[in-house]
Amino acid sequence: MSTKAGILQQLRSEILTLELKPGSILSETVLSERFKISRTPLRDVLKQLAHEGYIDVYPKRGNLVSYIDLESVEQIIYLRSILEKDIIKNLAAQNVSLPLRGILELREILNKQAEAIRQDHAHEAFLFWDDAFHKALFALAGRVLLWDLIQQSNAHYARYRRLHLLKKEKLEEILDEHRLILECIVNRDAERIDDLVRHHLHEDINAAYLLENFAEYLNLPRLEARESDGASAAHGRKARGEAEADG
Amino acid sequence: MSTKAGILQQLRSEILTLELKPGSILSETVLSERFKISRTPLRDVLKQLAHEGYIDVYPKRGNLVSYIDLESVEQIIYLRSILEKDIIKNLAAQNVSLPLRGILELREILNKQAEAIRQDHAHEAFLFWDDAFHKALFALAGRVLLWDLIQQSNAHYARYRRLHLLKKEKLEEILDEHRLILECIVNRDAERIDDLVRHHLHEDINAAYLLENFAEYLNLPRLEARESDGASAAHGRKARGEAEADG
DNA sequence: AATTCAAATCTTGTATACAAGAACAAGTTC
DNA sequence: GAACTTGTTCTTGTATACAAGATTTGAATT
């Protein structure tokens, strides 16, 4: 698809799934040839990607797919924890009855998510319905705007999750926690929400695991150049200055 | 200043201070003549403004300064309440001593804010130091990233506050509340934070006041056209479709 | 062989011409 | 007079040529 929205979606997807690895160069001219479109609209797409943290722009030098920034991940997890604790507690504590339609919608989403587990290599589908579940909670609380705001800074967290899911099959665990959350809402049991949400979102911010297995994807504090190091993790990395901010 | 950053800052400022009123047209060609720069970099600026909610883009029709959206205002107030309650409580409850430097910095900011009150027509200065106070709290808690994220959706809230400050001289009240908050932090008094922050941020979401006095700046649900209405509030308003989203 | 310096070649940034949708106005038709 | 048509003139969207910084290349020099 050669429309701007299509290209944006395509590139986002490739970056999230790590087809485009952190550090990859996204040259305007190369992309314009690939998508058969001129540089002008393509620059709009790159601007948007930069804004969402998918790429870092180095003026007059080039655009690199951003390295996963664990700091950003932690900030987003914190933000979502705080927010979702409150949102879900409100849904659970509500005196007026939660619309039945909402409950049914959530159940349907969890069914789809369970279905995704049964298929192999359906991580993307699983994550899609995972997002759908959380977004539906925001929606029921009338907070879609905040969900959308968070999504604008989701590039690092989304990739972190994908790497994390590879670790062990915690898909079942995540789904179970979703079921627990829904149960609490239905049963008006606001007490357990805090711990549930905290555990659910924080997973185990297992920096160690990522560092060991995916160091080449991470945005690490500048490591001093060790000489004669043949480790593959350090390969292909270049010194990077800081990207320009947008504000 | 004819640099992109300068133009962006300039337009932002003019929109926030209502020099550019909601509904005003920002034509690319007109702006390019005004700033003596070509349309290309100017479009980048407009894109950014659109992203931050300062303008609404109607494809192939034009760019309008956005009307203040009370829904957005409420969402941001909610978000900030939730966040700042937790952030400030953590600062107040901290076992490890809060860096003295932080306390001093906050005190200094409040001094500047008090100074701004003493001068007349110093609303902008007052608001500048008001933001500085809250941002400093985020910074002390290590949450600047989240502050910046919120700022990206600040166009409506910021203008709402400006209109609100005109109502009565609540400047003193705001400053007093800041002092109370700082006191709580210094005295490790986390108990009162919740109520303090809620009251401080919610002010009184006085939609009624804004509706009566500044209806022409607000993004209202489509009102049926009343005939033969000479009220100035309805003047110059045009039917507006919805602007395109960015995602 | 290592260093220096300049030119070639990358990259993005800017200006501008042209394309095309949207709104408006005037004239035509009924 | 009302509805339709058409042409003009707005607007932004796109393509492309050119400008200018950053990097690399490679030859000349020491």
Side-chain angles (χ1 to χ4, degrees):
Chain A
M1 199 181 333
S2 279
T3 172
K4 278 205 285 187
I7 296 170
L8 181 59
Q9 203 176 350
Q10 175 70 20
L11 290 178
R12 258 200 290 237
S13 162
E14 291 181 13
I15 292 173
L16 286 180
T17 63
L18 295 171
E19 285 170 64
L20 280 173
K21 300 198 190 317
S24 303
I25 295 172
L26 292 189
S27 154
E28 293 180 2
T29 55
V30 171
L31 288 176
S32 73
E33 289 167 10
R34 169 179 168 192
F35 290 108
K36 311 238 188 306
I37 199 174
S38 83
R39 276 180 58 217
T40 307
L42 222 140
R43 291 194 52 151
D44 291 346
V45 171
L46 290 175
K47 269 264 165 56
Q48 183 65 25
L49 287 175
H51 186 90
E52 297 175 14
Y54 285 82
I55 64 177
D56 291 331
V57 175
Y58 299 85
K60 306 255 183 153
R61 284 194 282 165
N63 313 300
L64 296 193
V65 175
S66 66
Y67 291 86
I68 299 173
D69 182 50
L70 293 178
E71 165 70 10
S72 289
V73 172
E74 195 279 331
Q75 299 281 341
I76 293 297
I77 288 178
Y78 168 77
L79 172 60
R80 285 190 52 168
S81 286
I82 298 271
L83 262 180
E84 297 195 29
K85 271 186 228 167
D86 192 79
I87 283 176
I88 298 173
K89 254 192 290 190
N90 282 346
L91 289 179
Q94 231 169 13
N95 297 326
V96 283
S97 74
L98 192 67
L100 182 60
R101 213 164 44 89
I103 304 286
L104 294 179
E105 183 193 0
L106 291 171
R107 287 232 171 89
E108 185 57 27
I109 289 173
L110 293 189
N111 286 340
K112 301 273 194 182
Q113 200 174 17
E115 192 178 320
I117 290 184
R118 284 195 294 274
Q119 298 162 13
D120 270 355
H121 304 296
H123 277 193
E124 287 304 321
F126 179 86
L127 285 168
F128 175 84
W129 292 110
D130 190 89
D131 272 354
F133 182 76
H134 287 271
K135 180 172 185 176
L137 292 175
F138 276 77
L140 287 173
R143 299 291 172 196
V144 183
L145 232 82
L146 297 183
W147 171 265
D148 291 338
L149 177 59
I150 294 172
Q151 294 315 107
Q152 287 176 9
S153 298
N154 216 33
H156 299 285
Y157 179 63
R159 287 182 292 178
Y160 159 86
R161 288 205 65 202
R162 278 169 175 79
L163 291 179
H164 226 57
L165 283 186
L166 299 177
K167 187 181 177 187
K168 44 186 176 185
E169 288 304 28
K170 31 179 8 189
L171 305 189
E172 291 283 0
E173 184 184 333
I174 290 173
L175 179 56
D176 281 343
E177 289 178 353
H178 279 180
R179 290 194 172 114
L180 276 177
I181 289 173
L182 179 51
E183 216 172 277
C184 284
I185 293 175
V186 172
N187 298 334
R188 301 274 186 276
D189 178 6
E191 298 300 317
R192 302 159 61 196
I193 299 284
D194 267 26
D195 290 330
L196 259 176
V197 171
R198 175 169 38 246
H199 181 267
H200 181 60
L201 287 179
H202 281 247
E203 316 192 1
D204 34 352
I205 295 198
N206 200 331
Y209 170 73
L210 289 184
L211 276 169
E212 274 185 35
N213 296 277
F214 301 106
E216 74 266 31
Y217 295 156
L218 303 183
N219 182 18
L220 301 172
R222 172 80 58 259
L223 28 118
E224 298 307 316
R226 291 164 297 171
E227 49 188 350
S228 73
D229 183 356
S232 68
H235 199 64
R237 294 287 291 275
K238 298 178 180 180
R240 331 195 276 286
E242 58 266 73
E244 64 178 350
D246 54 331
Chain B
M1 196 183 334
S2 280
T3 172
K4 278 205 287 187
I7 296 170
L8 181 59
Q9 202 176 349
Q10 176 69 20
L11 290 177
R12 258 199 291 237
S13 161
E14 290 181 13
I15 292 173
L16 286 181
T17 62
L18 295 171
E19 286 171 64
L20 279 172
K21 300 196 191 314
S24 303
I25 295 173
L26 292 188
S27 154
E28 294 180 1
T29 54
V30 171
L31 288 176
S32 73
E33 288 165 10
R34 169 178 168 192
F35 290 109
K36 310 234 189 306
I37 198 174
S38 84
R39 276 181 57 216
T40 306
L42 222 140
R43 290 192 92 230
D44 292 346
V45 171
L46 290 175
K47 269 267 165 53
Q48 182 66 25
L49 287 175
H51 186 90
E52 297 176 14
Y54 285 83
I55 64 177
D56 292 330
V57 175
Y58 300 84
K60 305 259 181 143
R61 284 192 282 166
N63 312 301
L64 297 194
V65 174
S66 66
Y67 290 87
I68 299 173
D69 181 51
L70 293 178
E71 164 71 10
S72 289
V73 172
E74 196 279 331
Q75 298 281 342
I76 293 297
I77 288 177
Y78 168 78
L79 172 60
R80 285 190 52 169
S81 287
I82 297 271
L83 263 180
E84 296 195 30
K85 272 185 226 168
D86 191 79
I87 283 176
I88 298 173
K89 254 192 291 189
N90 282 345
L91 289 179
Q94 231 170 14
N95 297 326
V96 283
S97 73
L98 193 67
L100 182 60
R101 213 164 43 89
I103 303 287
L104 293 179
E105 182 192 0
L106 291 171
R107 288 232 170 88
E108 185 58 27
I109 289 173
L110 293 189
N111 285 340
K112 301 275 193 180
Q113 201 175 17
E115 192 177 320
I117 291 184
R118 284 195 294 276
Q119 298 163 13
D120 270 354
H121 304 296
H123 277 193
E124 286 304 320
F126 179 86
L127 284 168
F128 175 84
W129 292 110
D130 189 90
D131 271 354
F133 181 76
H134 287 271
K135 179 173 185 175
L137 292 175
F138 275 77
L140 287 173
R143 300 290 172 196
V144 183
L145 232 81
L146 297 183
W147 171 264
D148 290 338
L149 178 59
I150 294 172
Q151 293 315 107
Q152 287 176 9
S153 299
N154 216 34
H156 299 285
Y157 179 63
R159 287 181 293 177
Y160 160 85
R161 290 205 63 202
R162 279 168 175 78
L163 290 180
H164 226 57
L165 283 186
L166 299 177
K167 187 181 178 186
K168 43 186 176 185
E169 288 306 27
K170 32 181 6 188
L171 305 188
E172 291 284 359
E173 185 185 332
I174 291 173
L175 179 55
D176 281 344
E177 289 177 353
H178 280 180
R179 290 193 173 116
L180 275 176
I181 289 172
L182 179 51
E183 217 172 276
C184 284
I185 293 175
V186 173
N187 298 334
R188 299 276 186 276
D189 178 7
E191 298 300 318
R192 301 159 62 196
I193 298 285
D194 267 26
D195 290 332
L196 258 177
V197 171
R198 176 171 36 246
H199 181 267
H200 180 60
L201 287 179
H202 281 245
E203 315 193 4
D204 37 349
I205 296 197
N206 200 332
Y209 170 73
L210 288 185
L211 275 169
E212 274 184 36
N213 296 277
F214 301 105
E216 74 267 30
Y217 295 157
L218 302 183
N219 182 17
L220 300 172
R222 173 80 57 259
L223 31 118
E224 299 307 316
R226 290 165 298 172
E227 51 187 347
S228 73
D229 183 356
S232 67
H235 199 64
R237 294 289 291 277
K238 298 178 182 179
R240 330 195 278 285
E242 55 268 78
E244 64 177 352
D246 57 331

mmCIF file of all heavy atoms in Angstrom, chain A residues 48-66:
data_model
loop_
_atom_site.group_PDB
_atom_site.id
_atom_site.type_symbol
_atom_site.label_atom_id
_atom_site.label_comp_id
_atom_site.label_asym_id
_atom_site.label_seq_id
_atom_site.Cartn_x
_atom_site.Cartn_y
_atom_site.Cartn_z
ATOM 1 N N GLN A 48 6.538 11.313 12.097
ATOM 2 C CA GLN A 48 5.611 10.663 13.008
ATOM 3 C C GLN A 48 6.300 9.530 13.764
ATOM 4 O O GLN A 48 6.164 9.405 14.983
ATOM 5 C CB GLN A 48 4.411 10.131 12.219
ATOM 6 C CG GLN A 48 3.330 9.487 13.061
ATOM 7 C CD GLN A 48 2.659 10.482 14.003
ATOM 8 O OE1 GLN A 48 2.653 11.676 13.741
ATOM 9 N NE2 GLN A 48 2.130 9.982 15.108
ATOM 10 N N LEU A 49 7.077 8.743 13.038
ATOM 11 C CA LEU A 49 7.792 7.648 13.684
ATOM 12 C C LEU A 49 8.760 8.193 14.732
ATOM 13 O O LEU A 49 8.900 7.631 15.827
ATOM 14 C CB LEU A 49 8.541 6.820 12.647
ATOM 15 C CG LEU A 49 7.694 5.921 11.742
ATOM 16 C CD1 LEU A 49 8.564 5.259 10.689
ATOM 17 C CD2 LEU A 49 6.965 4.867 12.566
ATOM 18 N N ALA A 50 9.420 9.278 14.386
ATOM 19 C CA ALA A 50 10.347 9.881 15.338
ATOM 20 C C ALA A 50 9.592 10.353 16.574
ATOM 21 O O ALA A 50 10.030 10.143 17.705
ATOM 22 C CB ALA A 50 11.081 11.055 14.689
ATOM 23 N N HIS A 51 8.445 10.938 16.338
ATOM 24 C CA HIS A 51 7.665 11.448 17.457
ATOM 25 C C HIS A 51 7.258 10.335 18.407
ATOM 26 O O HIS A 51 7.192 10.525 19.617
ATOM 27 C CB HIS A 51 6.433 12.175 16.942
ATOM 28 C CG HIS A 51 5.663 12.853 18.018
ATOM 29 N ND1 HIS A 51 5.914 14.154 18.394
ATOM 30 C CD2 HIS A 51 4.701 12.394 18.844
ATOM 31 C CE1 HIS A 51 5.123 14.459 19.392
ATOM 32 N NE2 HIS A 51 4.368 13.421 19.690
ATOM 33 N N GLU A 52 6.981 9.189 17.840
ATOM 34 C CA GLU A 52 6.543 8.068 18.672
ATOM 35 C C GLU A 52 7.715 7.266 19.222
ATOM 36 O O GLU A 52 7.515 6.242 19.871
ATOM 37 C CB GLU A 52 5.612 7.158 17.857
ATOM 38 C CG GLU A 52 4.341 7.829 17.401
ATOM 39 C CD GLU A 52 3.496 6.941 16.500
ATOM 40 O OE1 GLU A 52 3.766 5.733 16.442
ATOM 41 O OE2 GLU A 52 2.585 7.469 15.849
ATOM 42 N N GLY A 53 8.922 7.703 18.914
ATOM 43 C CA GLY A 53 10.089 7.046 19.484
ATOM 44 C C GLY A 53 10.571 5.824 18.721
ATOM 45 O O GLY A 53 11.459 5.120 19.200
ATOM 46 N N TYR A 54 10.005 5.582 17.549
ATOM 47 C CA TYR A 54 10.434 4.417 16.786
ATOM 48 C C TYR A 54 11.807 4.628 16.166
ATOM 49 O O TYR A 54 12.560 3.678 15.998
ATOM 50 C CB TYR A 54 9.423 4.091 15.679
ATOM 51 C CG TYR A 54 8.160 3.448 16.164
ATOM 52 C CD1 TYR A 54 7.118 4.212 16.677
ATOM 53 C CD2 TYR A 54 8.002 2.079 16.128
ATOM 54 C CE1 TYR A 54 5.948 3.626 17.135
ATOM 55 C CE2 TYR A 54 6.846 1.478 16.583
ATOM 56 C CZ TYR A 54 5.825 2.254 17.089
ATOM 57 O OH TYR A 54 4.680 1.668 17.549
ATOM 58 N N ILE A 55 12.089 5.841 15.790
ATOM 59 C CA ILE A 55 13.396 6.124 15.186
ATOM 60 C C ILE A 55 14.026 7.337 15.864
ATOM 61 O O ILE A 55 13.338 8.163 16.472
ATOM 62 C CB ILE A 55 13.285 6.399 13.671
ATOM 63 C CG1 ILE A 55 12.469 7.663 13.415
ATOM 64 C CG2 ILE A 55 12.664 5.214 12.941
ATOM 65 C CD1 ILE A 55 12.384 8.028 11.952
ATOM 66 N N ASP A 56 15.345 7.404 15.755
ATOM 67 C CA ASP A 56 16.066 8.587 16.200
ATOM 68 C C ASP A 56 16.568 9.319 14.972
ATOM 69 O O ASP A 56 17.087 8.700 14.046
ATOM 70 C CB ASP A 56 17.244 8.180 17.090
ATOM 71 C CG ASP A 56 16.781 7.608 18.417
ATOM 72 O OD1 ASP A 56 15.703 8.008 18.876
ATOM 73 O OD2 ASP A 56 17.496 6.762 18.973
ATOM 74 N N VAL A 57 16.392 10.615 14.966
ATOM 75 C CA VAL A 57 16.786 11.421 13.818
ATOM 76 C C VAL A 57 18.081 12.146 14.132
ATOM 77 O O VAL A 57 18.168 12.855 15.136
ATOM 78 C CB VAL A 57 15.693 12.433 13.452
ATOM 79 C CG1 VAL A 57 16.168 13.345 12.336
ATOM 80 C CG2 VAL A 57 14.414 11.711 13.059
ATOM 81 N N TYR A 58 19.059 11.939 13.300
ATOM 82 C CA TYR A 58 20.324 12.639 13.450
ATOM 83 C C TYR A 58 20.441 13.597 12.274
ATOM 84 O O TYR A 58 20.686 13.161 11.146
ATOM 85 C CB TYR A 58 21.480 11.652 13.468
ATOM 86 C CG TYR A 58 21.375 10.684 14.621
ATOM 87 C CD1 TYR A 58 20.616 9.524 14.521
ATOM 88 C CD2 TYR A 58 21.997 10.960 15.834
ATOM 89 C CE1 TYR A 58 20.493 8.658 15.586
ATOM 90 C CE2 TYR A 58 21.882 10.099 16.904
ATOM 91 C CZ TYR A 58 21.121 8.947 16.771
ATOM 92 O OH TYR A 58 20.994 8.096 17.842
ATOM 93 N N PRO A 59 20.237 14.885 12.524
ATOM 94 C CA PRO A 59 20.113 15.846 11.429
ATOM 95 C C PRO A 59 21.262 15.746 10.435
ATOM 96 O O PRO A 59 22.423 15.689 10.818
ATOM 97 C CB PRO A 59 20.116 17.190 12.156
ATOM 98 C CG PRO A 59 19.576 16.878 13.506
ATOM 99 C CD PRO A 59 20.100 15.515 13.832
ATOM 100 N N LYS A 60 20.904 15.712 9.210
ATOM 101 C CA LYS A 60 21.853 15.662 8.093
ATOM 102 C C LYS A 60 22.696 14.402 8.121
ATOM 103 O O LYS A 60 23.682 14.304 7.396
ATOM 104 C CB LYS A 60 22.769 16.891 8.105
ATOM 105 C CG LYS A 60 22.003 18.183 8.128
ATOM 106 C CD LYS A 60 22.034 18.841 6.795
ATOM 107 C CE LYS A 60 21.304 20.179 6.881
ATOM 108 N NZ LYS A 60 21.776 21.130 5.930
ATOM 109 N N ARG A 61 22.365 13.472 8.952
ATOM 110 C CA ARG A 61 23.132 12.235 8.960
ATOM 111 C C ARG A 61 22.247 11.036 8.623
ATOM 112 O O ARG A 61 22.619 10.222 7.785
ATOM 113 C CB ARG A 61 23.804 12.041 10.329
ATOM 114 C CG ARG A 61 25.014 12.952 10.502
ATOM 115 C CD ARG A 61 25.847 12.532 11.679
ATOM 116 N NE ARG A 61 25.258 12.971 12.938
ATOM 117 C CZ ARG A 61 25.632 12.500 14.114
ATOM 118 N NH1 ARG A 61 26.561 11.566 14.194
ATOM 119 N NH2 ARG A 61 25.079 12.946 15.222
ATOM 120 N N GLY A 62 21.095 10.967 9.248
ATOM 121 C CA GLY A 62 20.233 9.842 8.913
ATOM 122 C C GLY A 62 19.262 9.495 10.027
ATOM 123 O O GLY A 62 19.269 10.104 11.102
ATOM 124 N N ASN A 63 18.436 8.512 9.757
ATOM 125 C CA ASN A 63 17.450 8.056 10.728
ATOM 126 C C ASN A 63 17.757 6.613 11.098
ATOM 127 O O ASN A 63 17.880 5.764 10.229
ATOM 128 C CB ASN A 63 16.053 8.139 10.132
ATOM 129 C CG ASN A 63 15.804 9.458 9.455
ATOM 130 O OD1 ASN A 63 15.874 10.509 10.075
ATOM 131 N ND2 ASN A 63 15.539 9.421 8.161
ATOM 132 N N LEU A 64 17.866 6.355 12.370
ATOM 133 C CA LEU A 64 18.121 4.995 12.834
ATOM 134 C C LEU A 64 16.920 4.486 13.613
ATOM 135 O O LEU A 64 16.307 5.228 14.384
ATOM 136 C CB LEU A 64 19.341 4.953 13.769
ATOM 137 C CG LEU A 64 20.708 5.323 13.217
ATOM 138 C CD1 LEU A 64 21.783 4.906 14.192
ATOM 139 C CD2 LEU A 64 20.930 4.686 11.866
ATOM 140 N N VAL A 65 16.593 3.236 13.417
ATOM 141 C CA VAL A 65 15.623 2.602 14.290
ATOM 142 C C VAL A 65 16.169 2.687 15.711
ATOM 143 O O VAL A 65 17.325 2.336 15.959
ATOM 144 C CB VAL A 65 15.395 1.137 13.880
ATOM 145 C CG1 VAL A 65 14.481 0.448 14.878
ATOM 146 C CG2 VAL A 65 14.808 1.050 12.482
ATOM 147 N N SER A 66 15.344 3.175 16.625
ATOM 148 C CA SER A 66 15.841 3.452 17.973
ATOM 149 C C SER A 66 16.166 2.152 18.713
ATOM 150 O O SER A 66 15.543 1.114 18.484
ATOM 151 C CB SER A 66 14.797 4.238 18.757
ATOM 152 O OG SER A 66 13.643 3.450 18.977
#
